[in-house]
């Protein structure tokens, strides 16, 4: 039987209509509030590098018009009759995952991000067959399972990138035992993901080394983010001096690069986790793996239980992201800067403060 979407709630948003990449105002419909749904008045939406890929159809899967945004915070304005965990006025967020099958082995373990039928918050296909629209909009309707509570001590603007960047680095840190103090962590790349990884590492008692191609970032890494050490990855002398010095490495670089020199920084049995998505394959020579019994793995965001756990820990440690607020009339300017990596460290779209909405 064909499912006919019941979309009657008018929403003001911003969308890319084609591969030109220009974002423009867009009026669309969201579904009616179901019994298990939470309606959120959007206050802030993070601007992720993934947005650029979808806006320009870099991966060949964009369904236009696309309303980007998978880092969303706001205030609950309505709840369905089966919702008991949230109430009107609660401070909440929605991340990368909008829906999943709810019944497979991964969903039963709250690994919804690995469900075969996972639906992304935008450019996904929802249960009713409709295309999902993201957080570049003034409201969103979300199933209660995919809504996260934001601790009261965290500002909604600086907390919003945690719903993507935060959980993306937290999940592999938990999986590989990086939450225990005393170890040594290398963070490759000091951008949106990298600066959060540094903050997590310091909060969890790790010795943190930033690995970057840019010597200009050393002062920021050491003084602002309190990194313990800094390595310029193009400096062979520095890289050689730190051979076999790290227990773990989180690689956040989204450009093509070789993993060989980075792997040499790991101790025997060390672990390297890739959390970014370069548009070309990375180079992975076998010798650094074989002679160091090292492991390379990947990780993609996290499940809902883990996301709430991460957000609560951020509340306990008062961890937020370093952001730059962007008004809705400057979206295209911010995206152009994001494409040049001209941001420290995350753009956040200020939607709640726009008097036009």
């Amino acid at each position: 039987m064909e499912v006919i979407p019941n979309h009657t709630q008018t929403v003001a948003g911003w969308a890319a209509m084609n591969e030109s990449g220009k974002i423009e105002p867009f009026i669309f419909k969201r579904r009616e509030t179901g019994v298990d749904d939470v309606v959120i008045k959007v206050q802030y939406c993070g601007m992720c590098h993934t947005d650029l890929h979808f806006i320009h159809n870099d991966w060949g899967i964009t369904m236009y018009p696309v309303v980007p945004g998978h880092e969303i915070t706001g205030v609950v304005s309505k709840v369905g009759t089966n919702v008991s965990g949230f109430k009107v006025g609660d401070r909440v967020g929605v991340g990368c995952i909008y829906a999943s099958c709810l019944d497979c082995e991964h969903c039963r373990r709250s690994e919804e991000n690995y469900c075969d039928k996972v639906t992304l918050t935008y450019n996904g296909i929802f249960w009713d067959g409709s295309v999902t629209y993201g957080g570049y909009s003034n409201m969103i309707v979300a199933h209660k399972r995919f809504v996260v509570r934001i601790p009261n001590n965290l500002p909604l603007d600086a907390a919003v990138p945690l719903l993507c960047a935060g959980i993306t680095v937290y999940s592999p840190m938990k999986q590989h035992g990086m939450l225990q103090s005393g170890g040594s962590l290398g963070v490759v790349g000091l951008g949106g993901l990298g600066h959060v990884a540094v903050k997590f590492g310091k909060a969890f008692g790790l010795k943190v080394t930033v690995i970057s191609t840019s010597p200009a970032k050393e002062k920021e890494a050491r003084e602002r983010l309190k990194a313990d050490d800094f390595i310029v990855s193009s400096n062979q002398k520095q890289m050689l001096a730190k051979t076999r010095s790290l227990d773990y490495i989180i690689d956040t670089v989204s450009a093509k690069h070789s993993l060989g020199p980075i792997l040499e920084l790991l101790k025997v049995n060390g672990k390297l986790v890739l959390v970014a998505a370069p548009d070309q394959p990375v180079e992975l020579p076998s010798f650094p793996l074989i002679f160091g019994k090292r492991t390379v793995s990947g990780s993609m965001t996290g499940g809902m239980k883990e996301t709430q756990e991460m957000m609560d820990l951020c509340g306990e440690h008062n961890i937020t992201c370093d952001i730059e607020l962007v008004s809705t009339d400057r979206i295209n300017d911010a995206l152009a800067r994001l494409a040049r990596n001209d941001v420290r460290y995350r753009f956040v779209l200020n939607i709640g403060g726009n008097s036009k909405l």
Side-chain angles (χ1 to χ4, degrees):
M1 179 184 296
E2 180 183 4
V3 178
I4 301 176
N6 183 19
H7 288 194
T8 61
Q9 302 190 73
T10 301
V11 180
W14 295 265
M17 310 305 290
N18 51 55
E19 292 182 13
S20 70
K22 181 182 178 182
I23 298 290
E24 55 189 76
F26 177 59
I27 303 298
F28 61 98
K29 303 283 188 180
R30 291 213 188 269
R31 71 177 187 270
E32 279 299 303
T33 308
V35 294
D36 293 313
D37 286 337
V38 177
V39 181
I40 303 166
K41 180 181 179 182
V42 178
Q43 300 291 318
Y44 300 98
C45 183
M47 303 179 75
C48 178
H49 206 275
T50 300
D51 298 348
L52 287 173
H53 290 300
F54 276 107
I55 289 168
H56 294 286
N57 196 24
D58 291 339
W59 296 327
I61 57 175
T62 300
M63 296 175 282
Y64 294 104
V66 60
V67 178
H70 59 203
E71 305 169 353
I72 305 162
T73 56
V75 177
V76 175
S77 60
K78 185 178 180 180
V79 296
T81 55
N82 285 351
V83 177
S84 59
F86 300 98
K87 65 181 186 303
V88 172
D90 282 351
R91 305 163 79 251
V92 296
V94 174
C96 306
I97 306 171
Y98 191 70
S100 65
C101 79
L102 306 181
D103 192 45
C104 69
E105 60 175 322
H106 299 295
C107 287
R108 288 194 292 270
R109 293 199 297 259
S110 193
E111 295 177 342
E112 298 91 345
N113 50 316
Y114 296 115
C115 173
D116 286 340
K117 297 180 180 179
V118 66
T119 298
L120 301 180
T121 300
Y122 68 88
N123 202 73
I125 303 297
F126 189 56
W127 294 324
D128 61 9
S130 62
V131 176
T132 56
Y133 291 138
Y136 288 24
S137 58
N138 66 346
M139 68 90 78
I140 189 168
V141 182
H143 188 279
K144 62 185 180 182
R145 177 159 176 164
F146 302 96
V147 179
V148 175
R149 188 178 301 278
I150 308 298
N152 289 331
N153 63 308
L154 299 183
L156 290 179
D157 54 357
V160 70
L162 294 171
L163 292 160
C164 174
I167 186 57
T168 296
V169 296
Y170 176 81
S171 182
M173 291 182 79
K174 179 182 179 182
Q175 178 185 351
H176 295 290
M178 303 182 207
L179 305 187
Q180 301 176 359
S181 63
S184 53
L185 169 68
V187 177
V188 185
L190 193 59
L193 294 171
H195 93 286
V196 179
V198 173
K199 290 187 177 188
F200 282 172
K202 294 300 295 181
F204 302 145
L206 301 176
K207 180 180 179 181
V208 179
T209 297
V210 172
I211 305 156
S212 174
T213 58
S214 174
K217 291 187 176 182
E218 180 170 4
K219 182 177 180 181
E220 178 108 2
R222 290 184 183 273
E223 296 182 5
R224 182 177 179 86
L225 298 175
K226 308 303 180 185
D228 299 285
D229 205 351
F230 187 92
I231 302 173
V232 178
S233 56
S234 58
N235 187 315
Q236 294 184 2
K237 184 177 180 180
Q238 289 186 19
M239 292 288 284
L240 185 62
K242 298 298 181 180
T243 298
R244 293 193 174 189
S245 64
L246 302 172
D247 296 301
Y248 318 102
I249 294 177
I250 294 179
D251 189 336
T252 72
V253 175
S254 58
K256 179 182 178 181
H257 59 292
S258 176
L259 300 183
I262 298 170
L263 283 167
E264 296 288 6
L265 299 174
L266 285 171
K267 298 176 182 177
V268 174
N269 282 320
K271 298 177 176 64
L272 168 63
V273 184
L274 302 176
V275 294
D279 55 8
Q280 297 181 50
V282 296
E283 299 175 9
L284 179 58
S286 59
F287 277 21
L289 290 175
I290 295 170
F291 287 97
K293 202 166 67 169
R294 300 170 176 113
T295 302
V296 176
S297 65
S299 185
M300 180 193 73
T301 185
M304 297 314 302
K305 182 178 179 181
E306 204 168 56
T307 301
Q308 186 64 67
E309 177 184 289
M310 177 274 307
M311 192 63 73
D312 291 341
L313 277 172
C314 288
E316 292 176 20
H317 294 278
N318 200 30
I319 297 173
T320 56
C321 299
D322 293 0
I323 65 166
E324 181 177 336
L325 281 177
V326 177
S327 60
T328 55
D329 61 346
R330 305 294 291 181
I331 294 176
N332 289 302
D333 294 336
L335 288 171
R337 286 180 55 194
L338 181 60
R340 301 192 302 267
N341 293 317
D342 179 23
V343 55
R344 290 191 179 177
Y345 285 97
R346 209 73 164 184
F347 283 125
V348 171
L349 188 57
N350 183 357
I351 295 173
N354 190 332
S355 60
K356 295 181 181 179
L357 293 182

